[in-house]
């Protein structure tokens, strides 16, 4: 059985990771989240973000609104997947874990 099937995947509309970071940390910890697909990150491309125990793949919007991210627990091997089609009003982040592709958009 795949590792991904035995753990929690979180889908969360953050409406600002920075403003709601305590809630995010609580969710990640309490539910032992393997992968978090987050929309409305509201991060600028030049903002630093680190969450202990997770690798983070991001697609930020230049204006600091919208945006999406995948948080993948550090003990899970993954490969980032680059999506060729990406209109300006759509943010996409994708990763492949085992034979499963995880994609989040905003």
């Amino acid at each position: 059985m795949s590792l991904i099937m035995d753990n929690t995947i979180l889908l969360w509309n953050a409406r600002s990771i920075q403003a709601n970071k305590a809630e995010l940390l609580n969710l990640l910890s309490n539910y032992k989240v393997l992968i978090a697909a987050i929309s409305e990150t509201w991060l600028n491309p030049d903002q630093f973000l680190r969450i202990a125990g997770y690798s983070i793949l991001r697609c930020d919007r230049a204006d600091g609104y919208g945006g999406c991210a995948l948080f993948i627990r550090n003990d899970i091997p993954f490969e980032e997947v680059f999506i060729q089609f990406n209109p300006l009003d759509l943010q996409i982040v994708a990763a492949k874990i085992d034979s499963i592709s995880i994609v989040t958009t905003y």
Side-chain angles (χ1 to χ4, degrees):
M1 178 172 280
S2 174
L3 180 61
I4 200 169
M5 303 304 267
D6 297 329
N7 290 281
T8 301
I9 297 175
L10 172 70
L11 175 60
W12 188 53
N13 184 325
R15 198 167 168 123
S16 178
I17 284 181
Q18 298 294 18
N20 297 300
K21 192 171 182 179
E23 184 178 353
L24 174 61
L25 294 173
N26 185 46
L27 289 168
L28 294 174
S29 175
N30 287 344
Y31 295 99
K32 301 188 182 356
V33 173
L34 172 67
I35 300 167
I38 301 175
S39 60
E40 287 198 69
T41 55
W42 289 14
L43 296 169
N44 291 314
D46 60 349
Q47 275 183 289
F48 180 76
L49 176 68
R50 183 171 168 213
I51 302 291
Y54 288 86
S55 297
I56 303 172
L57 305 176
R58 293 171 32 183
C59 184
D60 303 323
R61 230 168 57 184
D63 65 3
Y65 292 96
C68 60
L70 284 176
F71 290 48
I72 303 171
R73 208 170 61 199
N74 283 340
D75 61 340
I76 305 302
F78 70 92
E79 178 182 333
E80 186 170 6
V81 176
F82 295 96
I83 308 293
Q84 293 293 332
F85 176 75
N86 193 4
L88 295 176
D89 60 346
L90 179 67
Q91 292 88 59
I92 302 173
V93 177
K96 186 174 181 182
I97 299 171
D98 293 333
S99 62
I100 298 171
S101 292
I102 305 290
V103 180
T104 189
T105 64
Y106 179 81

